[in-house]
Amino acid sequence: MTPGASTGGEFAVIDRLARRLPGPPAGEVWIGDDAAVLGPAGGQTLLTTDFSVVGVHADLALMGLDDLGWRAVAVAVSDIAAMGGSATHVLVAVAGPPSTDLDALYEGVAQSVAAHGCVVIGGDLSNATEVVVVVTVAGAVGDGPGPVLRSGARGGDHLFVSGPLGASAAGLRTLREAVAAGRPSPASGDSSTVEAYRRPRARLAEGEVARRCGATAMIDISDGLAADLGHLADASGVGFRVDRVPVSTGATVEEALGGGEDYELVFAAPEVDVVLRAFEAAGLRPPVVMGRCTTDRDQRQWLTPAVVPGGWEHRFR
Amino acid sequence: MTPGASTGGEFAVIDRLARRLPGPPAGEVWIGDDAAVLGPAGGQTLLTTDFSVVGVHADLALMGLDDLGWRAVAVAVSDIAAMGGSATHVLVAVAGPPSTDLDALYEGVAQSVAAHGCVVIGGDLSNATEVVVVVTVAGAVGDGPGPVLRSGARGGDHLFVSGPLGASAAGLRTLREAVAAGRPSPASGDSSTVEAYRRPRARLAEGEVARRCGATAMIDISDGLAADLGHLADASGVGFRVDRVPVSTGATVEEALGGGEDYELVFAAPEVDVVLRAFEAAGLRPPVVMGRCTTDRDQRQWLTPAVVPGGWEHRFR
């Protein structure tokens, strides 16, 4: 439970706090989307900050500090991907006990920023009783349409997801089962689901192509498809019907719908062909068409029997 | 003690971590100064991030959550002031137990951003066992000279401090004595030292004037004058002789030299008259000339008997 949530859910808390503060000028977006949008159209900057707290977001019995460092960067960069931007600069603030192996943590940070095409420009260190990593990412929006907000979907838009879901939750389950059975923790390289849990990748290329090919709304899947698609629909004032969800190999349908932490992107766009051609032209695997937005904002229809059973590979073989 | 410091002091740790990461292009500053400097000369952006951890940086028996919110913003903004910049945009990430009174904390945040001329554009919330606030500030450098680094002081430069020191440490002492004696905690309005401890102000106007009137190096006093002037001298490769330190009313000489958390600015500049005239023209109280930089980088000379005894008001009456 989020701090302050004893007096309302997380979104209610954020709404209440935001009302204490002045709002943005026209063309900017401050609190409430995946990242803040600053500056005039054509040269906008994105800024976002994200916690990774051991005991809340990560269990050091199931991952190394290097994985924690990787993941903290990827999770924050994913908010930039969800706007259709590129990540440029990263600040890494780390608090923990004096015994914390910062070299291991920064090894993962260094690998993750390199993989995501950005650089570390600063940070802070502090003592604390638990390990807390806060990553702030600055991003840029390239040529073409502006950043993709959560709020632009319209009734009739098709809903896409950038890849199969549930791998991270399945990896977490595998690791927990190993610990419970007293078996050694699987290495990341031994299992794609364990790798997906420990070392997620932000979908920067997919987000940028989605922005360029007409995406009207976009969000990354951190809390789970059901929750995050709900956020997008709420922000856009639309309903949805979903009749197809790609499930990762090794994951259950429940893990795909509710597991979260896959960091795939969900987006809405009016034209299926335009989207599929743009992803193909960019050399990216095609997104899965999950369903459509509807004009009835109260509609939340999940036709789960039609979930794609074997995951990505089966759908597009 | 900082995390990782079991294998070296904080600065050694930062140096070691920075070596894992690529360095900046010419004209930019990444890790190692008060804030990172990005972009081409003339339109540079500053970015900095700062922890405020309850139990490390703040004691909730001695201040309210509103004071913590104020302070977390002021401390981070002070790093922008120390570059001679203006603070523009702030991200506030707060972790804590579900019972944390976020409304109180954000009341202080809102007051502090308003006092420092910036706005909150985003943030994050997380559960955690202790209250942790991480404030990231973006800043801008106006017309005139570029941002003032720690590393530009030269032998012969005069050393200035923007105001009297020790008030924050004296306020902390007053609060601790009250708690130890079982007395009610003094209200901030009852004591300027308590106010200095709970609600420090970043010296943005002073930093900007120092940049415009030829400051060659600058740093804010967070760890204490002795420590922070040492950082400036180390970064610049100079020594110093200090023969005058302004002590706040109610503070001891020890509190002025070592107390820290005053968030006054220390800077070096070649011409005393130019600096004093610039501060006067800006309507700011004049900085105190503390001494000079020397070319002997090993020299660290404190002529403490010459400390200005009664604080600011006595010096300039």
Side-chain angles (χ1 to χ4, degrees):
Chain A
M1 194 159 67
T2 302
S6 50
T7 47
E10 177 172 357
F11 283 79
V13 173
I14 293 171
D15 273 355
R16 201 174 67 235
L17 298 176
R19 282 199 299 272
R20 293 187 173 276
L21 301 163
E28 296 200 349
V29 177
W30 293 359
I31 297 166
D33 217 296
D34 291 285
V37 180
L38 301 178
Q44 290 181 308
T45 299
L46 306 171
L47 267 181
T48 184
T49 194
D50 252 304
F51 271 112
S52 293
V53 179
V54 167
V56 177
H57 304 98
D59 180 346
L60 291 181
L62 306 180
M63 65 169 69
L65 277 167
D66 56 338
D67 297 318
L68 178 67
W70 172 291
R71 208 167 190 281
V73 170
V75 166
V77 168
S78 180
D79 285 327
I80 300 293
M83 310 297 287
S86 57
T88 56
H89 301 94
V90 172
L91 299 157
V92 181
V94 181
S99 60
T100 307
D101 183 355
L102 284 183
D103 292 275
L105 196 150
Y106 270 77
E107 178 70 23
V109 165
Q111 292 167 352
S112 192
V113 294
H116 290 102
C118 46
V119 292
V120 176
I121 57 160
D124 194 16
L125 296 174
S126 172
N127 198 359
T129 55
E130 60 201 334
V131 177
V132 175
V133 184
V134 181
V135 175
T136 302
V137 187
V141 182
D143 296 343
V148 184
L149 310 185
R150 295 179 178 181
S151 53
R154 290 160 297 199
D157 282 352
H158 298 273
L159 284 167
F160 303 81
V161 62
S162 60
L165 303 177
S168 177
L172 177 58
R173 168 169 50 81
T174 300
L175 289 166
R176 284 184 172 153
E177 285 169 358
V179 167
R183 293 196 304 272
S185 206
S188 297
D190 293 347
S191 158
S192 61
T193 60
V194 167
E195 176 87 6
Y197 171 67
R198 287 184 178 150
R199 300 228 164 188
R201 281 176 179 261
R203 303 300 177 191
L204 288 164
E206 289 80 355
E208 181 154 8
V209 171
R211 174 175 61 81
R212 290 179 186 282
C213 72
T216 54
M218 187 152 58
I219 192 169
D220 68 326
I221 302 181
S222 52
D223 297 336
L225 175 62
D228 290 316
L229 180 54
H231 299 328
L232 183 151
D234 286 344
S236 295
V238 298
F240 59 79
R241 279 172 56 109
V242 169
D243 54 19
R244 203 177 304 156
V245 175
V247 182
S248 293
T249 305
T252 66
V253 171
E254 289 67 31
E255 286 165 346
L257 292 177
E261 304 194 335
D262 285 310
Y263 301 105
E264 296 291 348
L265 301 174
V266 170
F267 59 95
E271 301 285 349
V272 170
D273 286 355
V274 170
V275 169
L276 295 182
R277 273 202 304 271
F279 274 71
E280 189 178 3
L284 298 171
R285 61 182 184 183
V288 172
V289 184
M290 291 194 298
R292 295 189 86 155
C293 297
T294 64
T295 53
D296 174 7
R297 59 189 302 156
D298 295 322
Q299 185 173 25
R300 295 286 190 272
Q301 191 168 5
W302 295 89
L303 300 170
T304 47
V307 162
V308 179
W312 185 266
E313 301 81 356
H314 295 197
R315 167 101 186 100
F316 290 99
R317 192 172 287 165
Chain B
M1 194 159 68
T2 302
S6 49
T7 47
E10 176 172 357
F11 283 79
V13 172
I14 292 171
D15 274 354
R16 200 174 68 234
L17 297 176
R19 282 199 299 273
R20 292 188 174 275
L21 300 163
E28 296 199 351
V29 177
W30 293 357
I31 296 166
D33 217 297
D34 291 285
V37 180
L38 302 177
Q44 290 180 307
T45 298
L46 307 171
L47 267 182
T48 184
T49 193
D50 252 304
F51 270 113
S52 293
V53 179
V54 167
V56 177
H57 303 99
D59 180 345
L60 291 182
L62 307 180
M63 64 170 68
L65 278 167
D66 56 337
D67 298 319
L68 178 68
W70 172 290
R71 208 168 190 280
V73 170
V75 166
V77 168
S78 181
D79 285 327
I80 300 292
M83 310 297 286
S86 57
T88 56
H89 300 94
V90 172
L91 298 158
V92 181
V94 181
S99 61
T100 307
D101 183 356
L102 285 183
D103 291 275
L105 196 149
Y106 270 78
E107 178 70 24
V109 165
Q111 292 167 351
S112 192
V113 294
H116 290 102
C118 46
V119 291
V120 176
I121 57 161
D124 194 17
L125 296 174
S126 172
N127 198 0
T129 55
E130 60 202 334
V131 177
V132 176
V133 184
V134 181
V135 175
T136 302
V137 187
V141 182
D143 295 343
V148 185
L149 310 186
R150 295 179 178 181
S151 54
R154 290 160 298 199
D157 282 353
H158 299 273
L159 283 168
F160 303 81
V161 63
S162 59
L165 303 177
S168 176
L172 177 58
R173 168 170 49 81
T174 300
L175 289 166
R176 284 183 173 154
E177 285 168 359
V179 167
R183 292 197 303 273
S185 207
S188 297
D190 294 347
S191 158
S192 62
T193 60
V194 167
E195 175 88 5
Y197 171 66
R198 287 184 178 151
R199 300 230 165 185
R201 280 175 181 263
R203 303 301 177 191
L204 287 164
E206 290 80 355
E208 180 153 9
V209 171
R211 174 175 62 81
R212 291 179 185 281
C213 71
T216 55
M218 186 153 56
I219 192 169
D220 67 327
I221 303 181
S222 52
D223 296 337
L225 175 62
D228 290 316
L229 180 54
H231 298 328
L232 184 151
D234 288 343
S236 294
V238 298
F240 59 78
R241 278 171 57 106
V242 169
D243 54 20
R244 203 178 304 156
V245 174
V247 182
S248 294
T249 305
T252 67
V253 171
E254 291 67 30
E255 286 166 344
L257 292 177
E261 304 195 334
D262 286 310
Y263 302 103
E264 295 292 348
L265 300 174
V266 169
F267 59 96
E271 300 287 350
V272 170
D273 287 353
V274 170
V275 169
L276 295 181
R277 272 202 304 271
F279 274 70
E280 189 179 2
L284 298 171
R285 59 181 186 186
V288 171
V289 184
M290 292 194 299
R292 294 190 86 154
C293 298
T294 65
T295 54
D296 175 6
R297 59 188 303 156
D298 295 323
Q299 186 174 24
R300 297 284 189 273
Q301 191 167 8
W302 295 89
L303 300 171
T304 47
V307 162
V308 181
W312 185 266
E313 302 81 356
H314 295 198
R315 168 104 186 98
F316 290 99
R317 191 170 288 166

